[in-house]
Amino acid sequence: MAKRSSKSDHKILIVDDEKNYRIILSQLFSGIGYQVVTASGAEESLSVLRLEKVDLVLTDFYLAGYDGLTLCRRVQELTGGTPCILFSACLPSRKEHENGEAGIIYYVAKPFDVSELLTKVEQALLARPERSSYV
């Protein structure tokens, strides 16, 4: 019989250059049982991914260095398929081929509708295959 996973079995990487968003999202997700790790930018998040396995990357579109779409592409190259949710106050145009290549499964507008965000995170984690061994 397969073990049913709980929220504590899932680790979320939150990437945002705005400290307050990192804090709020970290508290939200850790408060309901998820493991959370944060990064303030694209390069820092890639360093985290080289050290830790995560099940989902939740990232802002506008980051110092390069944008969230580029980060999500790099996440795919590094991990082989970790899903990403991209958020922003001004969402970019959504080109289907870019979404697939970058592993983006949802876009979420800032400010967040917390219920919508939680639902999308849960759906993304349910749809994710077993954790890969990319580290």
Side-chain angles (χ1 to χ4, degrees):
M1 179 177 222
K3 179 187 168 211
R4 185 176 174 157
S5 66
S6 69
K7 289 179 178 159
S8 65
D9 293 333
H10 297 289
K11 186 179 288 187
I12 300 170
L13 170 59
I14 298 168
V15 186
D16 198 324
D17 52 3
E18 293 183 48
K19 182 179 180 181
N20 289 338
Y21 270 104
R22 287 194 314 272
I23 291 169
I24 290 167
L25 290 171
S26 180
Q27 289 176 346
L28 172 68
F29 288 108
S30 63
I32 58 173
Y34 289 107
Q35 297 175 55
V36 176
V37 62
T38 64
S40 62
E43 289 302 326
E44 183 181 354
S45 66
L46 294 173
S47 294
V48 168
L49 289 171
R50 288 182 184 98
L51 299 173
E52 298 189 46
K53 295 177 190 174
V54 302
D55 299 293
L56 179 68
V57 175
L58 183 59
T59 183
D60 191 11
F61 180 78
Y62 296 100
L63 299 169
Y66 45 88
D67 64 41
L69 181 62
T70 303
L71 171 60
C72 291
R73 284 190 187 113
R74 298 280 311 274
V75 167
Q76 298 313 295
E77 293 167 5
L78 185 63
T79 69
T82 299
C84 298
I85 295 177
L86 194 65
F87 60 86
S88 179
C90 300
L91 292 172
S93 64
R94 299 168 183 99
K95 297 178 183 172
E96 290 300 318
H97 70 280
E98 288 181 344
N99 293 351
E101 291 171 5
I104 299 168
I105 55 175
Y106 295 116
Y107 288 86
V108 179
K110 280 182 177 178
F112 302 113
D113 173 316
V114 173
S115 177
E116 175 190 13
L117 180 62
L118 291 173
T119 298
K120 287 184 176 182
V121 165
E122 289 172 6
Q123 290 171 342
L125 290 169
L126 284 173
R128 188 187 190 314
E130 288 299 314
R131 237 185 229 195
S132 60
S133 57
Y134 61 83
V135 174

